[in-house]
Structure formats: C-alpha cells, structure tokens
Amino acid sequence: IFTIGNKYGIARKDGSILLKAKYDNLYADHGYFVSNVRQSGKNNWIVLDSLGNALHTKTYDYVHPFNGNIFPVMTRNYWGAINSSGKEIIACAYDSIVQQMGDQIVVKFRGQYGIINMREEWIVTPRPFKLRLLTEQRYVEITPRQTFLKSIDGNVIYFTENNVECSAEHLLEYLPSGNIWEINLDGIIVNRQVHPEGLIEEIYKESEGLRAIKKNGQYG
C-alpha cells in the first residue's frame, strides 16, 4: 500500500501498480483489501479481492475487519454482514453485531440482545440482558444480579450471583469466601479451589493436591 498526497493505492512487489492511488482509506485484511472513497462527504466502503476486484457493488458506510467468516458492515447506523464472496448474508437491520461463532451470531436489535443463525432465524429471541456464546451449544446471559449458563435451546444449566469468568471450557465462580469453583459446561462442579486463610499475595496452580502460595514475601 502506498500514498500519493492523501490518497492510497496498491503496488506489486516489482513496483508495478495494481490499484491507482484513489482511495481515502485502504487496508489489507486476510488476503483482501478494504477500501473507501468519500464522495460529497459520504463514505463508500467496499471489499476488494487480492487482485483489486470489487467483491460487491453495494457500498457501505463502514466495513469492519474480517473475523474469519464474515465482514460486519454498517449502513445508516445499522449493522449486517457480508461473507468472503461479498454477498450480504445478514441484512443491515441490527444495532450491532456483537459476536459470531460458527453458524450463530449474537446481535443487538432494538436495544435488546438475541442470537440468530446465518439464515437470520432467531435462535434466542431478543431480551434486555447481554448474551455471550461460549460454544455453539452453550451461552451465558448476564443480568445485573446473576449470570446464567444456558443451552442453545434456552434451558438453564447453572446460575449464580457470584462473579464468574467464562470460557469455552468452563466457568470459574469466585465465592465470597475466596474459594474458586470450576464448573463445566454441563453445570457440574469439577474442581473446588480452597483459598488459604490470611493475606495471600499469590496462589499458584494446583499440582498433585498441593498449591504453592506466596505470603509475606515468602513461599510455602
């Protein structure tokens, strides 16, 4: 990518020009080029292939970087998505595209959160609280007071009022006592980490039933 004045273009390694310097914004992304030409104060974002050919004719107010499956796109302050061929597979009708995993997408729609599939069918209908996919079969719903682990068909598997860290493998629940519970995605407590008494500076990973700690600057 090179510039002439305030315009961006693309040159090949041998110095020949692939695309003339006519773009107001241009960046490389996973073998594609995402470009923008402003006209009359309006952005016109478009995705180009590695040879500089446009993948679609419709332009957007903004194209978000490729996430490995889709390019989130925005027009008139509403978000949708195009695939790697430039086809608009999610209409620009959502407040935001929050997360995408496999065939499922967490969206914000009219101020609420839901989960749709790539055919824009509702898997989880909109609700007031934030949603986060952990796997294609599990998600968490985070309310001001509780966190719910749910199956994709909406059944509650586990819930708690304690602070929780969520991953694709498990939940870590932090109890007021300082203990930590590891809960698998079927809602089963598979490990209970007991916090030692007193002011502990560091606690290390358990091994063979023992856990190293640092207290008062010393180790035990």
Side-chain angles (χ1 to χ4, degrees):
I1 296 177
F2 68 93
T3 60
I4 296 177
N6 294 323
K7 301 293 184 179
Y8 294 83
I10 302 172
R12 300 183 183 88
K13 289 184 177 180
D14 63 6
S16 60
I17 302 300
L18 178 65
L19 292 175
K20 294 181 179 179
K22 62 178 181 179
Y23 300 96
D24 294 291
N25 304 92
L26 183 66
Y27 65 88
D29 186 5
H30 290 78
Y32 301 92
F33 295 103
V34 183
S35 65
N36 175 38
V37 176
R38 282 192 290 270
Q39 294 178 337
S40 302
K42 182 182 182 299
N43 289 321
N44 294 277
W45 287 88
I46 196 165
V47 180
L48 313 173
D49 65 16
S50 60
L51 299 177
N53 301 309
L55 294 181
H56 50 95
T57 56
K58 179 180 177 179
T59 61
Y60 296 93
D61 297 340
Y62 186 67
V63 175
H64 197 274
F66 191 57
N67 70 1
N69 290 289
I70 59 173
F71 289 94
V73 294
M74 182 185 70
T75 186
R76 298 188 301 276
N77 292 322
Y78 288 101
W79 286 87
I82 60 176
N83 63 17
S84 58
S85 299
K87 180 182 178 181
E88 186 175 295
I89 56 173
I90 304 295
C92 292
Y94 301 92
D95 300 344
S96 61
I97 302 292
V98 179
Q99 181 192 12
Q100 185 261 331
M101 181 178 291
D103 188 52
Q104 296 159 353
I105 303 174
V106 180
V107 295
K108 187 176 182 182
F109 180 69
R110 297 183 179 179
Q112 297 190 324
Y113 298 86
I115 300 175
I116 62 173
N117 60 23
M118 290 292 188
R119 297 175 298 281
E120 292 194 84
E121 299 166 336
W122 287 105
I123 305 300
V124 177
T125 55
R127 58 211 49 215
F129 306 114
K130 290 184 178 180
L131 306 178
R132 176 184 164 193
L133 286 164
L134 303 181
T135 69
E136 291 190 58
Q137 299 300 321
R138 297 287 186 268
Y139 70 95
V140 289
E141 182 175 352
I142 304 168
T143 75
R145 294 191 59 184
Q146 294 178 313
T147 299
F148 295 87
L149 172 65
K150 295 185 176 184
S151 62
I152 202 66
D153 56 8
N155 291 320
V156 176
I157 298 171
Y158 190 85
F159 67 94
T160 178
E161 294 183 0
N162 298 319
N163 291 330
V164 176
E165 288 184 14
C166 305
S167 73
E169 290 79 32
H170 56 245
L171 308 181
L172 292 180
E173 180 179 357
Y174 293 84
L175 279 64
S177 63
N179 297 338
I180 305 172
W181 288 359
E182 180 181 333
I183 299 106
N184 68 19
L185 297 188
D186 291 323
I188 299 171
I189 301 171
V190 294
N191 187 15
R192 291 177 170 86
Q193 300 178 12
V194 179
H195 197 290
E197 296 180 356
L199 182 62
I200 304 300
E201 297 169 22
E202 291 187 62
I203 302 176
Y204 297 89
K205 187 176 180 180
E206 182 179 329
S207 175
E208 298 181 9
L210 300 176
R211 186 181 299 278
I213 63 170
K214 181 179 180 184
K215 181 178 179 181
N216 299 324
Q218 297 186 322
Y219 296 87

